[in-house]
Amino acid sequence: MKILVTGGTGYIGSHMVVELLNEGHEVIIIDSLVNSKIEVLNKIQEIAKKTPIFYQENLTDHTALEEIFKNHSFDLVIHFAGLKSVSESVEKPLLYYQNNLASTINLLDCMQNHKIKKIIFSSSATVYGGSNESECIETMPTGQNITNPYGKTKCMIEEILKDVCISDPEFSAIALRYFNPIGNHSSGLIGENPNGIPNNLMPYIMKVAAGELETLSIYGNDYNTPDGTCRRDFIHVVDLAKGHLAAIPALEAPGFKTYNLGTGTPTSVLEMVNTFEKISGRPLPHQFAPRRPGDLAEIWANPSKAERELGWQTKLTIEDAIRDTLTFLENTRKIW
Ligand code: UD1
């Protein structure tokens, strides 16, 4: 199939492109490179031995997007492109609403103009907000008590997709709700490498391991959880990409569908640190710090719908993710 991947040089997008190329699909990437580097394309080529077509464009540029749609007849679209920093979105809400919503609307408009009726959207567990059970099921209400504009854009885009499906009975949209993606391709050639001080746990651990930051602060050890630290459902990014592959056949049935992509098992922040130390064989400097505003004590996926309907479940462990992270770190920078 001929597949458009927006945000295809980003952390999750690049892993998706590798899986699609390995499966024999033809891939066209659109990425603005705002949060990724062009070198990723060479790494994708090195792993998959195939090259995707690449356009450096911002999806907010409707004219440029329309031009690309004129040149290719896509079978489906996988939409990753978007700004994703929770803290930045609190500081610059308009940037997030403008960028993430306008991009998606432009994309859907071009799809409509060219009669492309299948899309998989990169959604997030954040849509469940803060007023649900810790174990999330797709039937739970979404959109309540989401603490930041980034999370709200995910929820709003799900609503937009729902409405497009209502307006066009042939349109098919799947929102995949990711839990906490970690790890990278086992080659260690691609991975997550954010600029500056990261917000997310694993990138922060990586910078401490590489000696670029001194100490990891564990935000809160007084939560009502087994060891007092928050618990999350950390999913290996390769398993996550494979979840998208499994969702492609489900696009044959029109309508809007959602699936959780997670392992179903929570791991605490402290367990993650301890496992990282065990596998790397080195201490990871860390200290307890006050709770981070907006954090939930615990949240994990009930992944049974994806298992039942898509025949997908995770295969890789946290240990695998940490091993692959260490390989990526060795390839990209000195450790300790
Ligand atoms: C956040 C977002 C989620 C987004 C995801 C990936 C919310 C509520 N969550 O998830 O929407 O998809 O990032 O971008 O908007 N931690 C530390 N020290 C650190 C960093 C993190 O202790 O230096 C802890 C956090 O307090 C949290 C856990 O690690 O308990 C995971 O944090 P993080 O990686 O930022 O992911 P989430 O907050 O779960």
Side-chain angles (χ1 to χ4, degrees):
M1 277 193 273
K2 197 165 181 171
I3 301 178
L4 171 62
V5 180
T6 74
T9 55
Y11 169 48
I12 304 175
S14 58
H15 286 86
M16 186 72 241
V17 170
V18 166
E19 294 304 319
L20 290 169
L21 292 172
N22 284 345
E23 289 292 305
H25 296 294
E26 193 181 334
V27 178
I28 294 90
I29 296 176
I30 306 179
D31 200 306
S32 69
L33 299 179
V34 66
N35 200 19
S36 60
K37 296 201 168 66
I38 190 73
E39 289 78 46
V40 170
L41 284 179
N42 295 331
K43 308 287 180 192
I44 290 174
Q45 143 102 49
E46 209 175 321
I47 299 169
K49 313 283 179 241
K50 285 176 212 158
T51 322
I53 296 172
F54 177 72
Y55 291 97
Q56 184 180 352
E57 294 293 353
N58 197 315
L59 301 185
T60 52
D61 184 344
H62 191 283
T63 315
L65 197 54
E66 185 62 34
E67 215 35 57
I68 297 170
F69 272 80
K70 272 187 201 148
N71 291 331
H72 301 276
S73 56
F74 304 115
D75 293 296
L76 64 101
V77 176
I78 308 183
H79 180 34
F80 293 100
L83 298 175
K84 61 166 190 175
S85 160
V86 169
S87 55
E88 187 186 46
S89 80
V90 174
E91 285 158 28
K92 301 175 184 168
L94 296 181
L95 175 69
Y96 272 67
Y97 289 122
Q98 166 64 24
N99 185 83
N100 292 3
L101 299 182
S103 292
T104 308
I105 292 167
N106 281 346
L107 184 64
L108 290 167
D109 188 56
C110 290
M111 287 176 69
Q112 234 167 30
N113 293 344
H114 296 269
K115 306 209 171 1
I116 293 149
K117 297 182 183 244
K118 290 177 183 158
I119 186 168
I120 295 176
F121 170 61
S122 200
S123 189
S124 165
T126 196
V127 301
Y128 292 112
S131 44
N132 281 305
E133 298 291 314
S134 302
E135 178 178 348
C136 299
I137 307 187
E138 291 84 348
T139 46
M140 282 176 172
T142 57
Q144 284 158 14
N145 297 326
I146 299 177
T147 51
N148 59 83
Y150 153 78
K152 289 180 192 170
T153 67
K154 291 288 176 197
C155 207
M156 288 174 188
I157 292 170
E158 285 201 2
E159 294 302 315
I160 292 170
L161 292 172
K162 225 181 268 179
D163 287 338
V164 172
C165 289
I166 291 170
S167 74
D168 179 354
E170 290 175 0
F171 200 90
S172 170
I174 294 182
L176 297 177
R177 296 175 176 163
Y178 311 157
F179 282 70
N180 292 61
I182 57 166
N184 46 261
H185 190 267
S186 57
S187 63
L189 290 171
I190 52 174
E192 191 169 23
N193 198 0
N195 294 329
I197 298 179
N199 290 306
N200 298 118
L201 181 62
M202 198 47 133
Y204 205 105
I205 289 179
M206 288 162 73
K207 295 230 171 186
V208 174
E212 289 173 31
L213 293 170
E214 248 171 49
T215 309
L216 170 77
S217 291
I218 297 180
Y219 300 131
N221 63 345
D222 57 351
Y223 283 100
N224 186 19
T225 58
D227 65 19
T229 67
C230 293
R231 295 202 298 167
R232 293 291 181 271
D233 188 337
F234 297 99
I235 171 172
H236 196 296
V237 68
V238 172
D239 272 335
L240 189 73
K242 292 201 159 124
H244 295 65
L245 284 184
I248 292 175
L251 286 168
E252 291 307 320
F256 177 72
K257 291 178 271 311
T258 59
Y259 294 97
N260 289 338
L261 295 186
T263 66
T265 309
T267 300
S268 78
V269 175
L270 193 56
E271 281 168 338
M272 181 60 94
V273 170
N274 291 339
T275 314
F276 196 96
E277 289 186 324
K278 199 178 93 202
I279 291 181
S280 66
R282 306 224 186 186
L284 186 87
H286 59 276
Q287 64 191 17
F288 292 114
R291 292 181 178 197
R292 185 173 71 174
D295 272 345
L296 299 174
E298 44 187 15
I299 173 168
W300 67 90
N302 178 322
S304 58
K305 187 179 176 201
E307 193 174 335
R308 213 171 47 243
E309 295 185 15
L310 309 180
W312 169 90
Q313 59 183 38
T314 58
K315 294 202 170 71
L316 300 167
T317 61
I318 284 186
E319 285 80 3
D320 293 324
I322 293 173
R323 254 178 239 116
D324 294 336
T325 300
L326 290 166
T327 312
F328 178 67
L329 270 176
E330 276 160 23
N331 281 347
T332 48
R333 54 172 89 89
K334 219 173 100 245
I335 311 183
W336 288 276

